[in-house]
Amino acid sequence: MTIQPEQALENKLIEQLEGLKYERVTITDEADLLANMKVQLERHNNVSLTQKEFAKVVNHLSKGSVFDKAKTLRDKFVLNKEDGTTVYLEFIQQEHWCQNIFQVTNQVTMEGKYKNRYDVTLLMNGIPVVQIELKRRGIELKEAFNQVKRYQKHSFGASAGLFQYIQFYVISNGVNTKYFSNQKRESFKNTFYWSDKENKIITNLEQFTNEFLEPCHMSKMICKYVVINETSKALMILRPYQFYAVEAIIGRVKNSTKNGYIWHTTGSGKTLTSFKAAQILYKLPKVHKVVFVVDRKDLDFQTAREYNSFQKNSVSSTDNTSILVRQFSDDTKLIVTTIQKLNTAISKKSYTSKMEYQKDKKIIFIFDECHRSQFGETHERIKEWFQEAQMFGFTGTPIFADNASKNEFGKRTTKDLFEECLHKYVITDAIKDENVLKFSIEYVGRYREKEGSKNEIDIEVEDIDTKELLESPKRLRKIVDYIAANHDRKTHSRRFTAAFCVSSVKSLIYYYELLKEAKEEGKHNLKVATIFSYNPNEEDNASDGLIGEEVSVVEDAAALYGLDKHSREKLDEFIEDYNRMFRTSFSTKDNKIFYKYYNDISKRVKDGQVDILLVVNMFLTGFDSKKLNTLYVDKNLKYHGLIQAFSRTNRTLDETKSQGNIVCFRNLKKATDDAIALFSNKDAKEVILMEPYENYVEKFREALEKLKEIAPTVESVDELPSEEEEFEFVKAFRELLRLKNVLSGFADFEEDEIGIDPQEFEDYKSKYLDIHDKVRNDREKEKVSILNDVDFELELIHRDEVNVAYILKLLAKLKEEKPEDQEKRKKEIIDAISGDAQLRSKKELIEKFIQENLPEIEDVEQIDDAFESFWNAERSKALELLAKEESLNEGLLHSAIDNYLFTERKPINTEVMEMIEGEKPKLKERRTTINRIIDRMVDFVDTFIGGMGE
């Protein structure tokens, strides 16, 4: 009997799902699927359907795309029965989501372009809604993801297309488990781990199943937390932190009158979270209205558009205060408006009489970016007017005592205004989850850099307190030359775009004209655009490092008319350049035309048509563009202003966009450290920031020197006199592994720069692994060793491309070599095995195959099949030997190994004792025997199952 890890994983999962009260049903093909669906829909709706009536239902269900079917699933079907009566057939119960029929089946075969057989399917009322694809331990999750993509293409839409009702997928290899929504354009980057409320991810399939696939929770995710996006015509599913935030707000409204705020870092999808909260809240009987409040007209428009993409016609943005007042009076349940219009509605006499009767209504206010505009008189006025209101704020950068600005109300924090933080998801959480990217910060100027560094240019970067130095043409020209020379490198030859933030309108004008001059001189051909508006506190903001709240480009005439004549004329001149570049006709003639310019420039930056966007404050908050990867900074920034500005660059897009690039022409090192400490913790820098490449090269060389002090040559490792010296060697080489792991992520990485020959590094690695193997053997003998608790961090050694599948390719090459070259190729293969932690356990077996079996194989094409036969035979022999030598019941041993593969949990002592047949070990020997058996089981799995590849 051979172990089939994938099948064992599947069997264990189904057993667990049955324990969670899923009904097990056998479905082998579409005929079975339809027959079961008829029975379950009849049960759920308490009706009886004739075959002709059911055919109408199937015909209705078979129409449309995945997007259309998601709507069909949530609607009722008006069925005219043969007896003349009409029934409203419900496919899922959404309001009482636990009141559905939950089933599990496996190995359903569907035939479309190709015949496919699916692993595990979850059904609600007979309709497949969740598909689970499993891979054996050691296989990358991406393979399961790609398999789902093939099924989508080849068979999910076949015949009646019932598998297009899948709402989300789950992929797992037992150890790692993720989920993602059903949409064709989904990438692997949009697969998510589930987590607990504290953002601790749940990777193990057994725990994930208990938490996420529990029937009521699974149904709730489908009924409440899958969003049908009208713009992209695709399904979206909330991530765990979004789910917990919405649940916290709903719980607050249902159970109290208190306020609260959500701290979710910039780029984590706050608009979707706030929409889902608003959508659920406005359906609560006691809630009169939900009002989503933004602080600028452009965000009003943007938010309304996004909300309507999540649910068609769910909201209207308010063009003027009169419309807002009318919406408060009519049956509009969800309103999006600006804080300025809201303030006018409750303070201007012509409106207050109409707003009077709203005072005692249960109105929920949701404030977007609540770190910005809710700290003055307006907030107090809203609280006083709407006496039964509850207020909830969303922010990526809360205001604490350290970063609070003073106004007439004193220094007030987010907590002062909104009370308790209901859920927190900070930048370190988002980076660890790969929801946003790290920042790579380069400081350009007079710093101690390595010779020849492109960042060493002769400009002042610190202790520059005078305007003359800051704005000197010589300094600015050098910065422009630097940007012209390095922009393509930073943006991957303009695959991405950049923003350039400067300290004042005056500086912006200088920079724009210098960039234009450099373009005319032929130094670059970059498309540069700019936009700025009046900011009454520009000088204060420039000095204190906080991003100024610019005047709304639509609602306040001062956005344009506050500019001095020179600045306004220059802006018109720059817009004319833009018009020539893009064949448009914008100007500053009035606010509406200027607003159209604002929207056009926003769209072109997002589409990658503008190479550099030159700004003072605009677009540094509340602007998301996945194609923006670089921010040039000649501006003092600190605290929330710094994090907000930097975060324009770190949206995930594809593999090429590996980090957000920040190029600083001022020394913002301390400001950056302070901001990170405030919004995550003081030790979070290594999570958030990438160091420059040269730093890692230097660190590697220093670590290599320390290693050579302990073991000057590879051979000298064998001569280390005691475990203390071995311990020092392990620590020294482990540091090299860590640094090489970081270095290999840089495009500039060259093996010859780090001071050690690649073969010498591999040889040291083999010695490192020899010590690891020795320690593992010593543990089995219960030998006390100072090395027992050392973490060898073998994951740094395992390389995904070096698995058994890779070795088989090398064997094919070996077979084709000339006899005189075969020994050299054999050594390469043995070195590859020795240098990989997971393959070392297979070394003897692979050598045996090379020596005994490979010479007998005439056709290279037969190597894979021959190796599989050899491996299965050796695996069976090893299992029989283990059972025989330890006197174990073979059936129970199989079950224990299957269970370990599924749960990653080793058997407990009583389970091992049950496996032992005949005389049980004496009490004194029991612990040693049990530990030895468990270790041998784990070794068996490592040898015969882990690292096999495909």
Side-chain angles (χ1 to χ4, degrees), residues 27 32 40 83 180 182 186 325 342 432 434 451 453 483 641 643-644 666 701 718 771 810 922 939:
I27 296 174
D32 290 347
Q40 305 315 321
D83 62 7
F180 58 99
N182 183 8
E186 195 73 274
V325 172
L342 184 57
K432 286 174 184 174
E434 298 180 353
E451 191 174 340
S453 169
I483 291 172
I643 295 293
Q644 287 285 335
R666 301 192 183 193
R701 288 173 176 165
D718 297 330
I771 295 173
L810 295 183
K922 294 174 183 175
D939 287 346

Side-chain angles (χ1 to χ4, degrees), residues 226-241:
V226 167
V227 174
I228 302 170
N229 191 309
E230 293 283 348
T231 301
S232 60
K233 304 296 181 191
L235 306 188
M236 303 170 72
I237 188 166
L238 267 65
R239 304 177 188 202
Y241 58 87

